[in-house]
Amino acid sequence: MEFQVNPEDKPQLVMEKVRYSMGDILRGNCTSPPASIPTNMTWLVNGKSMNASYIRLENVTHAQTSPKTPMYLTVAGIELEITSFQVGKLKIQCQAEVFQYKSVKKIVLDEERPQLAQVLGTRTSSSANIVLNMEPMTLLLWSALQILLICWSTR
């Protein structure tokens, strides 16, 4: 007589990166815990069901069961181009199902934002910062001095 052994834990979800940009390739895999029959694996990206890019079944030995009961790990991979984010996030879910047993592992990935280069230096080193922090009368005198210097240099 054979007994069904359901997975004991949640699936393990591993992604290639934690931040992605539009057009990047999302890569990851989801591994089910050992079970006596292959596990049905389902991917959801931002709530939309996606096909796995690959599914691999591995026969493993489970220390708590008899050798007559084979145990299987199911590994489902995903590889797809990112075409949209939800408020700068990608919500990834992996569902593992064996008959009445269902377990979900969720992860949220961030959109990678480009960093703007500092072309003219930092704000604290610019002369505009000095002008903005001045009193009105000092600002007027500073402007007059700059006008005089411009006129003098063009002579």
Side-chain angles (χ1 to χ4, degrees):
M1 178 190 266
E2 290 190 29
F3 295 97
Q4 176 185 331
V5 179
N6 286 335
E8 297 174 2
D9 296 316
K10 288 186 175 187
Q12 291 186 357
L13 183 56
V14 178
M15 303 308 294
E16 183 180 54
K17 303 187 300 186
V18 294
R19 294 184 186 278
Y20 288 87
S21 297
M22 196 71 71
D24 281 356
I25 303 299
L26 175 76
R27 289 184 184 93
N29 72 47
C30 185
T31 305
S32 73
S36 60
I37 61 171
T39 306
N40 182 29
M41 306 292 279
T42 306
W43 283 98
L44 287 105
V45 178
N46 288 334
K48 184 179 175 186
S49 181
M50 298 286 175
N51 291 330
S53 300
Y54 64 87
I55 296 177
R56 187 175 71 236
L57 190 62
E58 296 179 16
N59 192 348
V60 296
T61 304
H62 193 276
Q64 297 173 345
T65 61
S66 83
K68 294 179 183 179
T69 306
M71 298 295 286
Y72 298 97
L73 279 180
T74 305
V75 180
I78 190 167
E79 188 170 318
L80 62 95
E81 183 179 352
I82 297 172
T83 58
S84 66
F85 288 89
Q86 286 184 345
V87 194
K89 306 282 184 193
L90 274 175
K91 297 174 185 170
I92 310 295
Q93 292 183 18
C94 175
Q95 296 179 351
E97 294 180 66
V98 176
F99 297 118
Q100 71 277 7
Y101 165 84
K102 182 177 181 179
S103 183
V104 177
K105 180 71 175 189
K106 299 177 184 180
I107 190 169
V108 177
L109 305 172
D110 293 319
E111 180 178 11
E112 189 168 62
R113 306 268 180 186
Q115 299 293 322
L116 299 177
Q118 295 179 356
V119 178
L120 300 174
T122 63
R123 290 181 184 217
T124 57
S125 67
S126 92
S127 61
N129 192 36
I130 297 169
V131 172
L132 292 176
N133 290 333
M134 293 183 181
E135 294 293 324
M137 188 60 158
T138 309
L139 182 59
L140 181 62
L141 290 172
W142 178 255
S143 299
L145 179 61
Q146 285 184 331
I147 292 170
L148 286 172
L149 287 172
I150 291 170
C151 290
W152 184 74
S153 67
T154 56
R155 287 172 78 178

